[in-house]
Amino acid sequence: MCKALNSVIKCKAAVLWGTNQPFSIEDIEVAPPKAKEVRVKILATGICGTDDHVIKGTMVSKFPVIVGHEAVGIVESVGEEVTTVRPGDKVIPLFLPQCRECNPCRNPEGNLCIRSDLTGRGVLADGTTRFTCKDKPVQHFMNTSTFTEYTVLDESSVAKIDAEAPPEKACLIGCGFSTGYGAAVKTAKVSPGSTCAVFGLGGVGLSVVMGCKAAGASRIIGIDINKDKFQKALDVGATECINPRDFTKPISEVLSDMTGNTVQYTFEVIGRLETMVDALSSCHMNYGTSVVVGAPPSAKMLSYDPMLLFTGRTWKGCVFGGWKSRDDVPKLVTEFLEKKFDLGQLITHTLPFHNISEGFELLYSGQRYVWRLLTLSHGLLLDFGICKYTHFF
């Protein structure tokens, strides 16, 4: 096993210096990996709605920080005691680690590893950062930080994948695709012949549609206020699409009338409290299952009529599609290479890395999808020489 070179790497990164500030392309220093850590050269990464939450201040983070968490890279070097990857391996960084030791990791139904950093801790397992810019420490983001040419991760946050996987497509498995697809096939366990309704047709919503189709659903209804998304949803497997603004009735009544009250599975893929309740109300009152896929706004409380659950409905949450990251991500990559699903349908644009801010402007303009706004479509690639950046949400 090759060990880490005892040298600092200087490279480019997109640094956020504060809330509501633009990205700044900076020269940074990336320290060598310590014990049980891996240094990775990023080949492709995605812009996710979660990254935008940090910009807007709706997700807790320390600054300065390097965000980004949906990527493919090559292992450059490893620290002592690393046993699962070696230099040259192609890998996907994991915002949801799998230590294989904690209670959630050991439970067959669990996947929220205790080493996850969803609260903005901003450092690796030893409590320190590997990034420096202008002599100041720069924080990590969700154990990953992929808006940089090189990053350092804990070994539990790295999954080795097939060397043949194309980075610009496989990077979508690092977050958005796996979250949506898994919500259908793993969390909800959609049954053959069933009727599903998907609220929100952005990249993750489209992935839910793909999952429902793969599971054998006979009717998949896409729901969005942007009709420009409908054709793509139909292309990936939706059987019909509707805009709630075209009706005066509540969407739950519309769906009941359309289907004869047979919607068994609903998915909220937006992250709005109101649509979470709408989705719950829209599945069958006795045997229906509704899955919350969209990340909810922080520091907000949800109110709903408890009778919605008393009658028998099941309401479930979903983190990373329910997958155990290090175990399941390589399998999903293999399924992609076997053409069991087409990730290319989720990509639409290519930009140079130094135009990363333009990628977020596309997100805000309505050409892209944001979790909470229901305004965008599917994918974007950003290319900056040795790296490509894929905007998925």
Side-chain angles (χ1 to χ4, degrees), residues 86-360:
R86 64 180 64 205
D89 285 346
K90 186 172 285 187
V91 296
I92 288 182
L94 305 171
F95 77 90
L96 193 69
Q98 185 185 354
C99 71
R100 297 175 174 151
E101 299 173 353
C102 69
N103 183 36
C105 283
R106 292 169 65 87
N107 189 299
E109 301 301 317
N111 75 331
L112 188 58
C113 178
I114 62 170
R115 296 188 183 181
S116 304
D117 182 13
L118 304 181
T119 59
R121 189 172 67 251
V123 291
L124 296 184
D126 74 340
T128 63
T129 175
R130 303 294 167 268
F131 301 128
T132 305
C133 182
K134 299 177 180 178
D135 297 323
K136 296 180 179 179
V138 178
Q139 304 299 304
H140 293 253
F141 176 64
M142 296 180 72
N143 299 302
T144 51
S145 292
T146 60
F147 289 176
T148 171
E149 292 177 306
Y150 288 86
T151 189
V152 178
L153 311 99
D154 293 309
E155 184 181 14
S156 60
S157 293
V158 177
K160 179 182 176 181
I161 63 171
D162 193 306
E164 298 301 314
E168 71 278 5
K169 293 180 180 179
C171 66
L172 306 185
I173 294 174
C175 180
F177 172 77
S178 300
T179 297
Y181 190 79
V185 303
K186 190 168 180 66
T187 302
K189 295 180 173 61
V190 168
S191 57
S194 60
T195 296
C196 304
V198 181
F199 289 70
L201 298 176
V204 181
L206 294 177
S207 300
V208 174
V209 171
M210 293 166 71
C212 292
K213 180 180 179 181
S218 61
R219 194 170 182 182
I220 306 168
I221 303 169
I223 304 164
D224 205 298
I225 61 174
N226 184 348
K227 292 184 178 180
D228 291 341
K229 301 180 183 179
F230 288 179
Q231 186 56 54
K232 177 58 68 173
L234 294 170
D235 291 345
V236 302
T239 55
E240 59 218 282
C241 297
I242 59 175
N243 182 343
R245 291 178 175 174
D246 290 340
F247 305 91
T248 56
K249 294 180 181 179
I251 190 64
S252 58
E253 294 183 21
V254 172
L255 289 169
S256 180
D257 291 345
M258 287 177 60
T259 65
N261 193 28
T262 60
V263 177
Q264 187 169 349
Y265 304 98
T266 62
F267 302 86
E268 202 280 354
V269 203
I270 307 161
R272 295 181 68 247
L273 301 184
E274 297 86 350
T275 45
M276 290 177 186
V277 177
D278 287 342
L280 178 64
S281 302
S282 297
C283 68
H284 193 276
M285 65 182 297
N286 179 236
Y287 58 78
T289 295
S290 186
V291 182
V292 176
V293 187
S298 59
K300 298 291 184 180
M301 300 299 291
L302 179 65
S303 297
Y304 66 96
D305 183 350
M307 283 298 293
L308 291 172
L309 296 177
F310 179 76
T311 56
R313 290 180 178 91
T314 299
W315 206 3
K316 306 188 74 172
C318 177
V319 178
F320 194 51
W323 305 111
K324 286 186 179 290
S325 57
R326 282 208 284 173
D327 292 345
D328 291 327
V329 161
K331 297 175 185 176
L332 288 169
V333 172
T334 298
E335 290 183 8
F336 163 63
L337 293 174
E338 293 172 347
K339 302 186 184 304
K340 293 185 178 180
F341 46 80
D342 180 9
L343 296 176
Q345 298 177 97
L346 303 171
I347 302 170
T348 59
H349 295 79
T350 300
L351 292 174
F353 173 63
H354 63 265
N355 286 355
I356 187 170
S357 294
E358 184 179 340
F360 279 88

Side-chain angles (χ1 to χ4, degrees), residues 369-386:
Y369 173 83
V370 185
W371 276 120
R372 296 178 295 132
L373 299 182
L374 269 176
T375 57
L376 303 179
S377 181
H378 26 292
L380 169 74
L381 291 180
L382 295 169
D383 187 350
F384 74 115
I386 64 168

